[in-house]
Amino acid sequence: MEEFVLAGDLGGTNLRVAAVDVTGRLLFRAEADTPRCSDGRKIVETAADLANQCREKLGSDPRAFGFAIPAIMAAEQGRIFSSPNLPELAGYELADSLRSQLGLTVILENDANAAAIGEYWLGASKGARTSICVTLGTGVGGGMIINGELHSGPDGTAGEVGHICVEPLGPPCGCGSNGCLEQFSSASAIVRMARELIDEYPDSALVSTEGFDALQVFRYGMEGDPLCVEVFRRAGAYLGIALAGLINVLNPEAIVIGGGAADGWDLFIESTRSEIKKRAFLEPAERARIVRASLGSDAGIVGVAFLAFQKSGRVGRSNTL
């Protein structure tokens, strides 16, 4: 049996675990709804159950378990500071609990950092020594690769692109600030903005759509619904404001945009590029390739699989971030 690791990705809606080989190929995957409770115990139980499904399917033991989670954390210590969209994780000893359940080495990483690693290893930013990965999902995450190394900072909190303030008087954010990018360019923000603007567009299809979600806003937008088109234009503009600042500071070769809300690419990317052109220095703005993530929802899983192989000594120096 070929060597493999287990790699998990915890989202606000789904929890996924896959068996991954050393080339990044997914051998088997299992999925469940993300459980909600007052602490992280049910998350551990669900992750362990999915991991054991993968073990049983492959009939052998993995080298390690990597887990991508939506949290501000010190990955090396496995310490979680906060998780605005899954607050039950704050302070919870997630890594220790998973080790106890699975009997494996457990590596935790912020989900956007994991996606950045995945895209750098096998995806859209492969070959770019300095790149930024932005994930547009329930929230907005970010990960930075600088000179071929993941940059997470001394506290492990670098790369929180979603909590760049783009509108000082904007709506409150789960992080405690106001007007963060997450409040304008995430899937949940798209729904909120559509609700705020709906009275201005009485002919919009959303007026007669009860309890609509971001996917419906996207679908109507692709059909030309003016309200939905405007919501994505605004989301893209605020994203461009944030990215222009990052281009000026970091001079990246590539900016990779992924996550579920990135499916609205055709509706927002023009306004994103327009804001970058207006706000960023000419040369670095022209250098930075703004591209869609190529690994889709598997980017985080591929990224933590790499880290799990790295931790177990299976990947060589030439593959090291």
Side-chain angles (χ1 to χ4, degrees), residues 24 28 39-40 43-44 77 81-82 111 143 146 181 217 237 290 292 295 300 306:
F28 179 77
D39 58 34
I43 288 174
V44 169
Q77 295 78 33
F81 299 131
S82 67
D111 57 351
I146 298 178
L181 178 63
V217 180
I290 314 298
R292 287 191 70 171
L295 299 180
F306 179 92

Side-chain angles (χ1 to χ4, degrees), residues 2-5 19-27 121 305-306 309:
E2 57 192 315
E3 289 183 306
F4 71 98
V5 295
V20 186
D21 72 11
V22 75
T23 69
R25 183 167 58 103
L26 274 64
L27 306 173
W121 182 28
F306 179 92
F309 275 119

Side-chain angles (χ1 to χ4, degrees), residues 33-285:
D33 293 340
T34 298
R36 303 308 297 260
C37 58
S38 59
D39 58 34
R41 284 178 296 174
K42 288 190 180 297
I43 288 174
V44 169
E45 290 170 4
T46 304
D49 177 63
L50 297 176
N52 287 327
Q53 289 180 41
C54 293
R55 274 174 150 168
E56 290 168 11
K57 181 68 176 179
L58 272 71
S60 62
D61 283 328
R63 298 185 67 92
F65 179 60
F67 201 24
I69 61 174
I72 299 170
M73 59 184 295
E76 285 293 319
Q77 295 78 33
R79 188 168 73 251
I80 299 170
F81 299 131
S82 67
S83 179
N85 296 309
L86 289 171
E88 60 266 34
L89 291 179
Y92 188 72
E93 299 293 336
L94 187 62
D96 287 345
S97 296
L98 283 168
R99 287 188 198 103
S100 176
Q101 287 268 345
L102 296 171
L104 294 170
T105 298
V106 174
I107 300 95
L108 296 184
E109 186 53 83
N110 168 271
D111 57 351
N113 282 347
I117 293 168
E119 292 290 342
Y120 178 81
W121 182 28
L122 297 175
S125 56
K126 185 176 181 179
R129 294 286 293 170
T130 297
S131 62
I132 301 166
C133 181
V134 181
T135 56
L136 308 178
T138 305
V140 174
M144 301 185 296
I145 308 293
I146 298 178
N147 293 327
E149 301 283 345
L150 176 68
H151 179 71
S152 53
D155 296 312
T157 61
E160 287 293 332
V161 174
H163 299 289
I164 295 173
C165 179
V166 292
E167 188 66 80
L169 299 179
C173 182
C175 72
S177 184
N178 287 75
C180 293
L181 178 63
E182 185 165 289
Q183 298 306 310
F184 295 98
S185 299
S186 64
S188 52
I190 285 166
V191 173
R192 191 202 76 245
M193 289 190 293
R195 288 174 177 156
E196 290 173 349
L197 293 172
I198 200 164
D199 289 344
E200 299 177 29
Y201 294 85
D203 296 327
S204 170
L206 290 181
V207 171
S208 58
T209 306
E210 231 177 282
F212 58 81
D213 58 17
L215 180 58
Q216 288 168 303
V217 180
F218 161 68
R219 286 174 175 166
Y220 289 139
M222 292 299 291
E223 294 172 3
D225 185 284
L227 167 58
C228 302
V229 169
E230 173 60 15
V231 166
F232 273 96
R233 186 202 66 78
R234 293 189 184 196
Y238 281 111
L239 178 61
I241 291 169
L243 295 185
L246 290 171
I247 287 170
N248 286 343
V249 171
L250 297 174
N251 194 189
E253 297 160 73
I255 297 177
V256 179
I257 301 174
D263 287 346
W265 178 272
D266 291 338
L267 294 172
F268 69 72
I269 193 59
E270 185 178 339
S271 59
T272 299
R273 294 186 193 278
S274 176
E275 290 296 332
I276 290 172
K277 186 175 181 179
K278 285 192 295 186
R279 298 172 185 276
F281 293 126
L282 178 62
E283 289 80 6

